[in-house]
Amino acid sequence: MTTTSAFSALAPYGWDEAWADQFTPYVSEGLLPGRVLRVDRGQCDLITAEGLVRADTAFVTPNDPLRVLCTGDWAVVEPAGNPRYVRTYLPRRTAFVRSTSSKRSEGQILAANVDHAIVAVSLAVEVDLGRIERFLALAWESGAQPVVALTKADLVPDAATLAHLVEDVETTAPGVPVLPVSAVDGAGLDVLAAVVSGGTSVLLGQSGAGKSTLANALLGEDVMDVQATRDVDGKGRHTTTTRNLLLMPGGGVLIDTPGLRGVGLWDAETGVGQVFSEIEELAERCRFHDCAHEAEPGCAVLAAIDSGELPVRRLESYRKLLRENQRIVAKTDARLRAEIRKDWKRKGAEGRAAMEAKRGRWQ
């Protein structure tokens, strides 16, 4: 296999000159590059210049859960063997990571080398703006460009109501395209396909958000299994159980993922700042550089709340996600844990001093 043949065969899956340069050290060993289509039970499916390959991942199962092989990786695979093995994978350009629900607070990598993160939000139920902010924080932190797809838009026939819903989400997602789409009548699908064409996109969302139906619409065929929407609450029942990478007819590839019940942050401070960019911009005008936006004089953020420029909900959500992210990071960062304890002690001492001063005035 020549480098040229590999490039032409794998180009539709995202292979480019930069990946070829990364792979150069392995060429002399006769190893093959391949993109991981799915991973399950210690094995994976890859697309190589020779076609579809099934390989064992025993050589790439480290103790660090963030370094396991995942869908979207560019792998280095043996040219033959029974079984044949994946030796390693090329350094990732981007990685979508969330925290697990375990008490160990480990990170879980969902997809690698992603250009666009499509956050699917169903309009069949009340839109949860806080959950959208969580997904967006993880998406920004991954290095991918987020896109919000408001699915099942056909269930909102009134144009004014639909426009209002889009506006609400746009306020929650500064700098992010918000596109109402319908897999039933095809509305908005051409726009979404154009936005994500030519790269790798991962489709994210809660169970029943219509992701598999949307994936089928973008892929142009019924590749993903879909179950009917429940009459009781308008929710679908998600049937995707693994992460799958598939070619889109207009160019680019799509990774569909199982529905995510939990969307825990994982070292996503930069992503949170991007989601709440208007708050961080206001904070630069606060009188004190370490302003907590609680009761400090000269706080530009609180002034924006008072004037109605900034919704209270946005500030509360910002504080909540920052606290959650700090807790996650602190569990793996001893220095940060010490800083947090020091800050708690300082605030406690200030509170005690304030109480003593009050008692002195009362006496």
Side-chain angles (χ1 to χ4, degrees), residues 212-213 225-230 235-239:
S212 291
T213 303
D225 291 334
V226 177
Q227 291 188 359
T229 299
R230 296 195 298 254
K235 293 183 180 180
R237 292 166 291 179
H238 198 97
T239 54

Side-chain angles (χ1 to χ4, degrees), residues 262-281:
V263 194
L265 301 185
W266 178 259
D267 197 4
E269 182 177 357
T270 300
V272 172
Q274 189 77 33
V275 175
F276 298 93
S277 57
E278 81 278 30
I279 296 179
E280 301 226 325
E281 289 172 5

Side-chain angles (χ1 to χ4, degrees), residues 351-352 354-363:
R352 287 192 296 272
M355 287 300 297
E356 289 297 331
K358 285 183 179 179
R359 289 194 186 100
R361 289 195 297 270
W362 294 336
Q363 292 174 354

Side-chain angles (χ1 to χ4, degrees), residues 1 23 26-27 29-33 48 50 53 55 76-87:
M1 182 202 69
F23 189 76
Y26 305 102
V27 173
E29 299 180 48
L31 299 171
L32 303 176
T48 71
E50 297 179 352
V53 167
V76 179
V77 64
E78 296 175 344
N82 187 21
R84 64 169 65 182
Y85 289 92
V86 172
R87 293 283 188 86

